[in-house]
Amino acid sequence: MQIPCTDIELALLKKIALAAKELNVPCYAIGGFVRDKLIGRATKDVDIVCVGDGIVLAEKVAGMFFPKPEVHFFKNFGTAQIKTAQMEIEFVGARKESYDFSSRKPAVENGSIEDDQNRRDFTINALAISLNEQDYGQLIDPFNGILDLQNKIIKTPLEPGITFSDDPLRMMRAIRFSAQLQFTIEANTLEAIAQYAERIKIVSSERIADELNKILLTAKPSIGFDLLFKTGLLDIIFPAFAQLSGAEYIDGHGHKDNFYHTLQVVDNICKNTDDLWLRWAAVLHDIAKPATKKFEEGHGWTFHGHEVIGGRMVPKIFTKLRLPQNEKMRFVRKMVELHLRPISLTKENITDSAIRRLLFDAGDDFEALMTLCEADITSKNKQKVKRYLENFEMVRARCAEVEEKDHLRNWQPPITGEMIMETFGLPPSKEVGLIKDAIRNAILDGDIENNLAAATQLMLDKATEMGLKTRP
Ligand code: ATP
């Protein structure tokens, strides 16, 4: 075996080889498993190609385990999967593919191992290892993928224009692998992506979102996003992000390029969190800057309200990108809306009330918000960065102090809407909201104590002022 496998993997491959021998079908480990083993990257699944029926081979392999794992198969695709305690194994019959212009779903027919390697997207993904008796462990590398692995190059095995036009998802995959592995996309391959970028329109939003998420989960997502931008893909799949690019000048006053600023913020935050949604918040924190941009005489460029407008854009962007419409989206929106708040608290003479409001609004996401704010510091001036970070430390300290005193992070005002409705015999109405807000604001502003007695008194005072009477 020419690839460095663990004992468990070697035993597994031997088992598959034995099953294939008994069925008399040639079989190979192929694709990501071989690639990742050769570069020492962690692997979680192995793809097996056989020149025969992949489902039959899967059944045979499953029968060699005790207890026998379930075989999940997809008759239409001729693929099967088994999950053992250590690994997921995917089986498929070797195939030849031909494409129709309108779809990325090919017509498929049975083929040889060469045909199967020809349909692979990149030379580094076309590597196969023989599991056959006569040349067990031999690397089969028709496109010199091993050299591209060594030179850290992503390149299509066949003419890149055809490869990408056939299945445009491969353009996203090229960029995603480049970001994940920190490999360079070979010049012709990169040029073909730019040339065929429009073809991405035939790919489903779900598949695109999947690739975007994978890029965002890399150590340095700017690599992937910059390539998406430079090839023109970003403008098609996520125009609001591409539109952050560029700096405008009036009377010699420019503003920073918000696209590259955002990429820096994303890279910064990735050093401090693996949370996909907090990373999305970094992508989207300034998304409304183009929509709110103004040049004000004597003031320069302003982006007033970009956090609020940006927050409103989040659900629309999530819908368009087929990202979830659930609490993850609400979290991202909240981060975008609040991302300027801690900065505003670094000024002098900040009242307890402003701190309380931040704690109340951020709730359990306070730490996540601070992580975003710290990542948002992209100045090249080391002194400035140091000063900003110190300021944030002060905000954290003040927040910790107030939190200890007032416990506002998961706080709910002592009087609920139901209690107000009950006391005054009111249906759900504007009046109930007004009283609730008055109580909450008075406590957050420190005008009354945070307890039931003080809140009840304020409720009664406010109701009298509004001409309401308690229920007899
Ligand atoms: P990862 O698991 O990180 O996504 P992978 O290379 O294992 O990496 P899979 O999507 O699991 O990716 O695909 C397995 C293999 O199938 C690839 O290595 C490649 O050979 C082939 N492949 C996958 N998608 C395509 C595609 N769109 N066009 C051509 N070949 C593909």
Side-chain angles (χ1 to χ4, degrees):
M1 182 71 55
Q2 295 183 356
I3 60 169
C5 287
T6 63
D7 289 348
I8 289 172
E9 288 161 347
L10 284 174
L12 200 76
L13 294 176
K14 279 269 182 219
K15 228 173 217 174
I16 298 168
L18 187 63
K21 187 181 166 202
E22 284 178 16
L23 291 172
N24 198 23
V25 291
C27 109
Y28 307 83
I30 194 161
F33 174 80
V34 182
R35 176 199 67 216
D36 288 342
K37 280 283 143 199
L38 285 165
I39 55 177
R41 200 166 169 245
T43 50
K44 56 186 181 323
D45 51 16
V46 53
D47 287 326
I48 302 292
V49 161
C50 68
V51 187
D53 189 331
I55 302 175
V56 173
L57 178 60
E59 275 294 345
K60 182 92 183 162
V61 173
M64 296 167 110
F65 284 90
F66 186 81
K68 183 182 169 195
E70 207 178 325
V71 178
H72 302 276
F73 63 89
F74 310 92
K75 202 124 197 95
N76 290 350
F77 300 103
T79 60
Q81 183 201 58
I82 60 178
K83 276 187 199 169
T84 69
Q86 293 89 15
M87 268 208 132
E88 257 178 60
I89 319 168
E90 303 260 355
F91 297 86
V92 64
R95 51 173 70 172
K96 193 173 172 165
E97 293 181 340
S98 51
Y99 285 84
D100 176 83
F101 190 73
S102 62
S103 159
R104 56 174 292 265
K105 310 240 169 4
V108 175
E109 55 187 298
N110 292 338
S112 62
I113 181 68
E114 293 78 30
D115 291 328
D116 202 277
Q117 284 177 299
N118 282 342
R119 76 178 178 88
R120 303 274 157 177
D121 48 5
F122 307 112
T123 59
I124 58 168
N125 284 350
L127 293 157
I129 288 199
S130 168
L131 300 180
N132 307 311
E133 201 170 24
Q134 68 278 12
D135 57 355
Y136 187 85
Q138 187 75 36
L139 194 66
I140 305 167
D141 181 15
F143 308 109
N144 226 347
I146 195 91
L147 197 70
D148 289 338
L149 262 189
Q150 278 158 9
N151 293 332
K152 301 185 177 232
I153 299 281
I154 290 165
K155 187 174 147 191
T156 57
L158 306 176
E159 207 277 302
I162 297 173
T163 305
F164 293 137
S165 181
D166 277 352
D167 177 1
L169 180 68
R170 293 169 180 162
M171 302 191 282
M172 299 280 305
R173 285 174 56 88
I175 290 174
R176 186 252 294 182
F177 283 120
S178 168
Q180 279 179 329
L181 306 172
Q182 308 213 348
F183 278 25
T184 307
I185 303 179
E186 177 260 348
N188 285 331
T189 303
L190 189 62
E191 213 173 283
I193 298 180
Q195 193 180 343
Y196 288 89
E198 285 282 325
R199 293 278 295 152
I200 199 68
K201 290 178 179 164
I202 69 162
V203 178
S204 74
S205 304
E206 287 79 3
R207 297 307 299 263
I208 291 173
D210 195 35
E211 294 299 329
L212 284 175
N213 284 339
K214 284 182 177 170
I215 291 172
L216 198 45
L217 286 171
T218 61
K220 207 173 168 213
S222 62
I223 299 175
F225 287 125
D226 198 25
L227 283 167
L228 287 174
F229 177 65
K230 285 185 172 142
T231 53
L233 281 169
L234 198 64
D235 211 25
I236 303 168
I237 61 174
F238 188 0
F241 194 10
Q243 280 154 19
L244 286 176
S245 147
E248 204 176 323
Y249 283 83
I250 291 184
D251 297 341
H253 294 278
H255 61 79
K256 65 182 162 202
D257 180 316
N258 287 305
F259 179 67
Y260 286 104
H261 162 69
T262 297
L263 292 194
Q264 177 73 61
V265 177
V266 173
D267 283 352
N268 286 350
I269 210 161
C270 290
K271 291 182 198 128
N272 295 320
T273 181
D274 290 331
D275 184 293
L276 176 65
W277 307 107
L278 187 51
R279 289 178 175 207
W280 265 111
V283 169
L284 295 173
H285 78 288
D286 276 348
I287 201 71
K289 278 203 164 169
T292 54
K293 181 164 97 171
K294 276 204 182 73
F295 186 79
E296 289 174 11
E297 285 299 331
H299 219 79
W301 292 100
T302 64
F303 305 89
H304 293 309
H306 75 271
E307 72 284 15
V308 181
I309 309 284
R312 278 188 218 140
M313 287 168 74
V314 171
K316 292 180 202 143
I317 290 172
F318 266 49
T319 307
K320 192 116 188 289
L321 294 174
R322 300 284 197 281
L323 292 169
Q325 297 290 310
N326 56 16
E327 78 283 359
K328 305 294 183 201
M329 185 270 285
R330 287 189 285 281
F331 165 77
V332 174
R333 177 176 187 163
K334 179 169 157 185
M335 289 296 102
V336 173
E337 280 173 349
L338 295 180
H339 83 271
L340 297 179
R341 290 275 291 281
I343 299 163
S344 71
L345 298 183
T346 57
K347 314 222 167 64
E348 295 212 337
N349 305 324
I350 297 299
T351 58
D352 272 9
S353 132
I355 298 276
R356 275 195 214 104
R357 279 185 180 279
L358 176 65
L359 286 168
F360 178 69
D361 290 339
D364 267 348
D365 300 318
F366 175 79
E367 274 308 320
L369 179 64
M370 294 308 288
T371 304
L372 175 61
C373 291
E374 281 160 2
D376 200 7
I377 305 170
T378 58
S379 169
K380 287 197 177 60
N381 180 333
K382 287 214 168 79
Q383 278 308 105
K384 239 185 188 176
V385 172
K386 188 164 171 276
R387 202 170 66 237
Y388 289 158
L389 288 174
E390 281 167 4
N391 283 342
F392 280 136
E393 272 318 303
M394 265 158 53
V395 173
R396 274 180 203 274
R398 273 294 291 282
C399 284
E401 207 178 280
V402 173
E403 171 61 20
E404 198 174 323
K405 205 160 45 132
D406 297 343
H407 307 292
L408 282 163
R409 269 213 203 171
N410 281 317
W411 175 74
Q412 286 301 325
I415 288 194
T416 64
E418 283 77 43
M419 289 157 85
I420 299 168
M421 288 192 278
E422 173 73 10
T423 311
F424 302 102
L426 288 172
S429 55
K430 196 171 141 203
E431 282 82 4
V432 180
L434 285 173
I435 296 174
K436 243 177 92 176
D437 284 352
I439 296 169
R440 193 194 66 201
N441 290 336
I443 295 176
L444 288 174
D445 288 341
D447 295 339
I448 64 167
E449 294 273 315
N450 177 17
N451 60 42
L452 184 62
T456 305
Q457 189 54 55
L458 185 79
M459 171 180 76
L460 295 171
D461 293 349
K462 184 78 189 164
T464 309
E465 194 187 301
M466 289 163 67
L468 296 172
K469 290 200 172 60
T470 52
R471 237 169 38 167

